[in-house]
Amino acid sequence: QLQLQESGPGLVKPSETLSLTCTVSGGSISSSSYYWGWIRQPPGKGLEWIGSIYYSGSTYYNPSLKSRVTISVDTSKNQFSLKLSSVTAADTAVYYCARLEGDPFGGVDVWGKGTTVTVSS
Amino acid sequence: QSALTQPPSVSGSPGQSVTISCTGTSSDVGSYNRVSWYQQPPGTAPKLMIYEVSNRPSGVPDRFSGSKSGNTASLTISGLQAEDEADYYCSSYTSSSTSFGTGTKVTVL
């Protein structure tokens, strides 16, 4: 059964870059049927789509975050990663990695458990 | 892009039906059949309940159904059960991105 696991620092200082990695187990990230993405949820608030990537490296970003976001993929490690630059307290959230079926904006059929990132000095 | 609009809360007794609305615009819900619904119990990751407006993933009970009319999508839970108590979010494709709804808390009385 496919599983996703987020990893990375739980605390990031304002103005620095948030970096997270998602490790895919139980399946290949190079499957042609799926895209891989990041979604976040600030404390007590709703979900926000950050962006997605295909195993070939094609990326799709939320326009409101596009200037600060980079998503990359490492097929040799079966991982994909998120970098969010110039973070502020507003970027404090639970960050989920996800598998999207069929297209870069499709339904998320597999979610990681989520990792909490706090932006604070 | 703006968040899709959902009612903050809905409630019902066990066995009853409840419907959650998700209102967007002609730039998202109204133009694409790319609406999904997610269930999120407290402290857990969301779970896909409906995709492409009305399709249920394997393992999702047929008590959950989705539909769309104009710029509004809907999720109906029939035969409400205690285990259905959770937050629910819709999402829709929009202009090379995805928007989520504001979220609805379903309470089983």
Side-chain angles (χ1 to χ4, degrees):
Chain A
Q1 183 174 347
L2 190 89
Q3 291 186 320
L4 307 178
Q5 179 66 57
E6 304 90 351
S7 60
L11 181 64
V12 182
K13 290 182 168 55
S15 79
E16 295 189 344
T17 296
L18 178 160
S19 296
L20 296 174
T21 295
C22 182
T23 300
V24 180
S25 59
S28 174
I29 201 170
S30 300
S31 169
S32 61
S33 301
Y34 301 104
Y35 290 73
W36 308 91
W38 292 94
I39 293 158
R40 69 181 182 178
Q41 186 171 33
K45 296 188 177 181
L47 301 166
E48 181 179 30
W49 185 80
I50 300 172
S52 60
I53 191 167
Y54 195 51
Y55 77 93
S56 63
S58 298
T59 52
Y60 311 82
Y61 298 137
N62 184 326
S64 67
L65 298 171
K66 188 173 183 177
S67 64
R68 299 194 293 130
V69 172
T70 302
I71 298 176
S72 59
V73 64
D74 186 337
T75 55
S76 66
K77 295 182 178 179
N78 229 29
Q79 295 176 335
F80 61 104
S81 299
L82 168 70
K83 290 188 185 298
L84 181 65
S85 63
S86 305
V87 297
T88 69
D91 295 308
T92 293
V94 176
Y95 285 75
Y96 295 100
C97 62
R99 186 179 80 171
L100 295 80
E101 185 169 17
D103 69 72
F105 316 102
V108 176
D109 65 342
V110 180
W111 296 72
K113 292 184 178 180
T115 187
T116 299
V117 178
T118 301
V119 178
S120 175
S121 55
Chain B
Q1 72 228 36
S2 300
L4 307 174
T5 301
Q6 298 180 229
S9 63
V10 299
S11 62
S13 299
Q16 288 186 331
S17 293
V18 296
T19 296
I20 304 167
S21 60
C22 170
T23 301
T25 69
S26 58
S27 298
D28 41 58
V29 175
S31 291
Y32 307 99
N33 288 327
R34 308 271 284 277
V35 176
S36 299
W37 288 91
Y38 300 91
Q39 176 193 65
Q40 186 180 33
T44 69
K47 174 187 176 182
L48 181 66
M49 304 302 284
I50 296 287
Y51 66 97
E52 294 176 356
V53 176
S54 59
N55 296 299
R56 275 189 312 276
S58 173
V60 173
D62 59 6
R63 303 185 291 104
F64 292 85
S65 62
S67 63
K68 190 185 86 166
S69 177
N71 296 336
T72 298
S74 298
L75 173 72
T76 297
I77 310 173
S78 305
L80 197 62
Q81 298 183 5
E83 66 204 51
D84 300 333
E85 189 160 288
D87 293 329
Y88 290 80
Y89 294 91
C90 63
S91 73
S92 174
Y93 171 78
T94 174
S95 305
S96 297
S97 185
T98 293
S99 286
F100 281 96
T102 50
T104 298
K105 181 175 181 58
V106 171
T107 301
V108 182
L109 302 172

